Amino acid sequence: NFYTVTNEDIDRIELVRGPGSALYGPNSANGVFHIITKSPFDSEGTFISLGGGERGILSTSIRHAGTINNRIGYKISSQYYQGEDWESIDSAEPEFIKSGSDTISNARDFDITKAAVDGRIDYRVNSDLSIIVNGGFNQSSNLESTGLGWAQADNWRYSYVQGRLLYKDFFAQAFYNKSDAGDSRLLR
């Protein structure tokens, strides 16, 4: 739920098994689920999606990609999602919890919301050298299954910026990720 890219942005998905920290960074000891997005040069145009269904589901997304010339391409996309999760109550969970000096409700919130925006600029310096800069922001609230059990994600914000350099067979990247859990908390 924290991924900022829309489905329309996805070119392909690669599963890389085994350790991959040299290329993908820490926390990739078991493998990598690598989502590769479309270049704006290869996917110009505007795409709008609207969907809905049971459980109050409403899903919208918009994506626009274009080129300024044969060297600079850009892409921007956004999405919004809302719905109602399946209700499950754990009667052993406390009704209220302490947060610092405050006492707050520990009730599960079954409303799901997600709002995200993502952008990308490709600069083809010449036929051998390309520079790609992209970034995104996402804010969501939902029940989330974690390795420690269920969590109530409450206004969880995630953002990233990535820069890539491709020169012939050479590839380098730098990235910055930021995750702010907001008022999120682990449940029993």
Side-chain angles (χ1 to χ4, degrees):
N1 201 29
F2 300 118
Y3 196 59
T4 65
V5 173
T6 64
N7 289 341
E8 295 77 32
D9 284 324
I10 297 173
D11 183 37
R12 67 185 184 277
I13 298 173
E14 297 176 354
L15 297 173
V16 182
R17 294 174 46 154
S21 60
L23 186 57
Y24 296 103
N27 300 324
S28 60
N30 294 325
V32 174
F33 185 80
H34 186 188
I35 299 174
I36 300 166
T37 58
K38 296 175 183 173
S39 167
F41 290 106
D42 302 329
S43 60
E44 286 188 76
T46 302
F47 181 87
I48 299 172
S49 171
L50 177 62
E54 295 178 353
R55 309 206 57 78
I57 292 177
L58 171 65
S59 175
T60 63
S61 67
I62 185 168
R63 178 188 190 274
H64 177 74
T67 57
I68 296 173
N69 52 40
N70 64 346
R71 299 173 96 189
I72 299 174
Y74 64 92
K75 184 271 314 177
I76 188 158
S77 62
S78 66
Q79 60 183 313
Y80 176 78
Y81 177 88
Q82 72 179 29
E84 189 177 314
D85 206 344
W86 299 100
E87 293 188 18
S88 63
I89 305 292
D90 184 343
S91 59
E93 283 178 1
E95 234 180 288
F96 297 93
I97 57 173
K98 290 291 262 178
S99 177
S101 62
D102 298 330
T103 300
I104 61 172
S105 171
N106 193 41
R108 290 183 179 204
D109 182 1
F110 300 103
D111 292 332
I112 301 168
T113 59
K114 174 183 179 170
V117 64
D118 194 82
R120 173 175 164 164
I121 296 175
D122 288 26
Y123 178 45
R124 293 181 173 168
V125 179
N126 57 45
S127 61
D128 293 330
L129 177 62
S130 294
I131 300 169
I132 301 169
V133 177
N134 61 306
F137 173 82
N138 179 77
Q139 180 172 315
S140 60
S141 294
N142 62 294
L143 287 169
E144 186 76 26
S145 176
T146 75
L148 300 173
W150 284 96
Q152 180 70 61
D154 189 1
N155 290 320
W156 196 305
R157 292 171 204 86
Y158 170 77
S159 56
Y160 80 98
V161 176
Q162 177 190 37
R164 292 179 274 172
L165 175 78
L166 294 89
Y167 179 71
K168 295 184 181 181
D169 291 332
F170 176 77
F171 172 79
Q173 72 174 337
F175 56 89
Y176 173 76
N177 296 318
K178 181 179 179 186
S179 184
D180 178 355
D183 293 324
S184 302
R185 63 192 181 282
L186 284 172
L187 300 169
R188 191 179 93 85

